[in-house]
Amino acid sequence: MHPMQTIAVRAARAAGQTIIRAFAELDKVEVTAKGINDYVTNVDKEAEAAITYQIRKSYPDHTIIGEETGENKGENSEYVWIVDPLDGTNNFVKGIPHFAVSIAVQYKGKTEVAVVYDPIRDELFSAVRGKGAKFNDFRMRVSKKNDLSDAIIATGFPFKAKQHTETYMKIFTEIFTQCADVRRAGSAALDLAYVGAGRVDGFFEIGLKPWDIAAGELIVREAGGTVTDFTGNHDYMTSGNIIAGSPKATSIIVKTARPLLSEALKR
């Protein structure tokens, strides 16, 4: 195993233990609002601290960018860890058992290692650039769907960017009429991991953050899938607008979405 992958897995499992303990006593979880429809709990912060501790033990000079604490600069800025300690906080707060820890490691701007860990199901999705993707210890591949007629597509509503609702609903309607069904589960990190594992055939969402997708997008690519933005380019880490899936499914979703994009989403 890649040495940084070993540490990422260790950190993800440590965060997972923190989350599971708290999930058993949800009445004690402290919830505060960061913004409109954007919440943070003490558990997010504790899980991020557990991850940072594990990383710092082995790589004290690396930079860490966490959803809750922002950028924690190290002397070595070429290595950057991008961390979402609890992707799916709203699910967690409501007692819905669908959320994940997401950790990605970038070297000189390229993602080298990715881990998405579901502590409820003890499912670990991981990838190393050029080495493929794994579900627990088994190699995984995206589905082989060549059209959407019997495909399951995952998505997420733009609940933090409701100015895009009209455009999103047009895209949703077009995709829904083409595919077998749509899933909206509430964790982009797990949606992408599920694409990599072939559990869903494609995924699209508007307005995500780098820590939502940094690990998942490498998992999809290393599992043989493709990842683009809504214009078919590769600016999704900046725009937060992402389409992922088997190569054919991604292509169809892009072709469907592109004519429907507002000017704001064409950038």
Side-chain angles (χ1 to χ4, degrees), residues 3-265:
M4 281 185 284
Q5 183 185 16
T6 302
I7 301 307
V9 169
R10 188 178 298 164
R13 289 192 181 279
Q17 288 178 354
T18 297
I19 293 164
I20 288 294
R21 281 196 299 269
F23 195 65
E25 298 182 293
L26 279 177
D27 57 321
K28 296 181 181 178
V29 173
E30 301 164 13
V31 184
T32 54
K34 292 193 290 184
I36 298 172
N37 298 322
D38 193 7
Y39 299 96
V40 63
T41 71
N42 60 305
V43 182
D44 294 72
K45 295 174 182 176
E46 289 165 16
E48 190 164 305
I51 292 167
T52 299
Y53 174 75
Q54 292 294 336
I55 295 169
R56 285 275 175 256
K57 276 204 304 184
S58 297
Y59 301 106
D61 60 339
H62 287 190
T63 292
I64 302 170
I65 298 175
E67 178 178 7
E68 308 310 335
T69 56
E71 186 174 17
N72 184 341
K73 280 193 173 180
E75 293 177 10
N76 188 341
S77 59
E78 292 186 334
Y79 285 98
V80 179
W81 296 65
I82 302 175
V83 173
D84 190 340
L86 179 49
D87 185 63
T89 298
N90 287 0
N91 280 350
F92 174 82
V93 168
K94 290 290 187 180
I96 300 169
H98 189 82
F99 39 78
V101 181
S102 176
I103 301 174
V105 188
Q106 291 187 340
Y107 176 64
K108 294 184 177 179
K110 285 188 176 180
T111 306
E112 297 288 335
V113 170
V115 170
V116 172
Y117 178 57
D118 176 350
I120 290 288
R121 299 172 185 86
D122 192 25
E123 292 186 341
L124 183 75
F125 306 85
S126 63
V128 175
R129 190 164 72 91
K131 304 288 187 183
K134 287 187 173 183
F135 165 62
N136 291 337
D137 290 325
F138 300 95
R139 183 74 184 268
M140 66 180 185
R141 302 290 292 176
V142 297
S143 74
K144 297 179 180 179
K145 291 285 189 292
N146 287 319
D147 61 56
L148 298 190
S149 61
D150 61 346
I152 302 291
I153 304 299
T155 190
F157 300 126
F159 67 100
K160 295 180 187 176
K162 291 192 175 180
Q163 69 272 22
H164 298 308
T165 300
E166 185 178 350
T167 300
Y168 172 83
M169 291 309 296
K170 288 177 183 176
I171 296 169
F172 179 95
T173 300
E174 286 297 316
I175 297 297
F176 182 63
T177 57
Q178 293 182 54
C179 72
D181 207 349
V182 174
R183 298 286 182 268
R184 191 277 191 264
S187 168
L190 279 177
D191 287 333
L192 287 163
Y194 281 20
V195 170
R199 293 179 176 178
V200 295
D201 304 294
F203 168 68
F204 68 98
E205 189 164 348
I206 293 169
L208 293 168
K209 298 295 185 184
W211 43 79
D212 298 319
I213 56 180
E217 68 90 24
L218 180 66
I219 289 170
V220 172
R221 290 191 289 110
E222 287 296 326
T226 52
V227 185
T228 75
D229 59 22
F230 275 60
T231 63
N233 295 311
H234 296 91
D235 198 35
Y236 47 85
M237 288 292 286
T238 303
S239 70
N241 308 325
I242 188 169
I243 295 172
S246 65
K248 191 64 177 177
T250 300
S251 175
I252 294 169
I253 296 171
V254 169
K255 286 177 183 175
T256 302
R258 192 184 280 144
L260 303 173
L261 295 177
S262 63
E263 287 303 314
L265 290 174

